[in-house]
Amino acid sequence: MTAGEANQLISVHPNDLKFIFELEKQSFCDLKVVNNSEHHVAFKVKTTSPKKYFVRPNTGVVQPWDSCFIRAQGNSEDEGLKSSSEQSPDSNSTVQQLKDERDAAVRQTLQLQQELDFMKRRRQHRNDSGFSITFAAFVGLIGIMVGFLLNLSLSSPHME
């Protein structure tokens, strides 16, 4: 509490509201109202844009030396986009750009998933292709050795 807050009936924390904007998610900010006196203090929260922000509770009484929390919640993205007259052209283009980037990321993810599935099938097909090259080389080497041994045994003179 700063020196200026010592004479105030209430203090509000944080001083500035900061909403984190995420597509297709509700954004909100919590306020803490502290009663700095020995008396009951009533409050009423007013927003400059009631269509854009929903505040609950918007009125109340704080007990002496007590506090309460108030949530300011931004309306959903879809509701904010229903009336284009309420939004500036820059915010519409920003939202559209974010949606385009999201769609591009989704397409890229799907493409990568398809490539990964193709590589898995190709690898599995390669492993199931019958005989491996190593096995074929091993069988060929054995065949050459057997042929060599047969050739030696058949071509050598018999001693009787």
Side-chain angles (χ1 to χ4, degrees):
M1 184 183 316
T2 64
E5 292 178 340
N7 296 331
Q8 294 180 345
L9 289 175
I10 63 168
S11 57
V12 179
H13 304 286
N15 290 331
D16 298 325
L17 295 180
K18 294 181 183 173
F19 291 90
I20 298 173
F21 178 77
E22 292 183 46
L23 286 175
E24 299 178 0
K25 287 190 179 181
Q26 292 280 335
S27 59
F28 64 90
C29 187
D30 289 331
L31 298 166
K32 183 178 182 180
V33 177
V34 181
N35 182 351
N36 300 321
S37 73
E38 56 189 34
H39 304 287
H40 291 78
V41 175
F43 69 88
K44 181 172 185 174
V45 178
K46 285 187 146 188
T47 177
T48 56
S49 301
K51 291 182 180 179
K52 291 185 180 178
Y53 300 101
F54 181 74
V55 179
R56 285 295 179 259
N58 60 352
T59 60
V61 176
V62 183
Q63 303 293 321
W65 309 111
D66 200 4
S67 64
C68 73
F69 285 94
I70 299 169
R71 176 163 285 185
Q73 186 170 1
N75 282 339
S76 70
E77 171 196 357
D78 295 333
E79 295 214 1
L81 293 175
K82 283 181 184 174
S83 173
S84 60
S85 63
E86 292 179 16
Q87 291 194 347
S88 69
D90 288 340
S91 64
N92 282 336
S93 64
T94 302
V95 169
Q96 186 61 43
Q97 183 181 5
L98 289 171
K99 284 184 174 183
D100 291 344
E101 288 177 9
R102 177 197 61 194
D103 293 343
V106 167
R107 283 192 302 272
Q108 186 178 19
T109 301
L110 289 173
Q111 183 181 5
L112 289 172
Q113 185 65 42
Q114 289 172 347
E115 288 179 16
L116 180 63
D117 291 342
F118 174 74
M119 296 297 286
K120 284 180 181 178
R121 284 192 308 268
R122 188 171 161 196
R123 183 176 179 202
Q124 186 178 25
H125 187 309
R126 187 182 305 155
N127 289 342
D128 293 341
S129 63
F131 300 110
S132 70
I133 294 175
T134 308
F135 180 74
F138 182 72
V139 168
L141 185 61
I142 290 176
I144 291 171
M145 289 173 55
V146 168
F148 182 72
L149 290 175
L150 282 174
N151 192 18
L152 280 177
S153 68
L154 294 176
S155 65
S156 62
H158 293 294
M159 290 190 202
E160 288 185 358

